[in-house]
Amino acid sequence: MLSVRHKKIECIGCMVCVEAAPNYWHMDEDGMAQLNQVVSTRGHFEMADGFEEDLKVLKDAESECPVGIIQISG
């Protein structure tokens, strides 16, 4: 399993993560990205589990995020 971390408080609503990995993010009612299936929170980071087979799309979301609020680790 991969660890998916998202710092929602700094989201600018660009939709890059939603477009790259729609199984992991959606846009909330305020127009900001929301991580799906949050399993825990640490400080400002929301955490979810990711599947190894989704590594490419998750890394795309991480690298394309213009504010650098996504962290993917294995």
Side-chain angles (χ1 to χ4, degrees):
M1 279 303 230
L2 301 171
S3 173
V4 180
R5 295 174 49 149
H6 179 242
K7 195 172 185 182
K8 183 180 179 187
I9 195 168
E10 294 182 13
C11 179
I12 61 171
C14 72
M15 293 186 62
V16 166
C17 56
V18 174
E19 291 171 356
N23 290 336
Y24 291 89
W25 283 273
H26 68 276
M27 299 305 286
D28 68 15
E29 62 278 351
D30 296 323
M32 299 298 148
Q34 173 65 52
L35 186 60
N36 297 335
Q37 301 177 0
V38 174
V39 295
S40 66
T41 303
R42 285 193 202 144
H44 292 291
F45 280 94
E46 294 179 334
M47 315 283 285
D49 293 326
F51 296 104
E52 291 288 335
E53 57 266 20
D54 294 330
L55 180 60
K56 183 191 180 322
V57 296
L58 290 169
K59 283 295 195 176
D60 288 347
E62 177 184 45
S63 67
E64 293 173 16
C65 177
V67 289
I69 61 170
I70 298 170
Q71 298 174 356
I72 309 300
S73 60

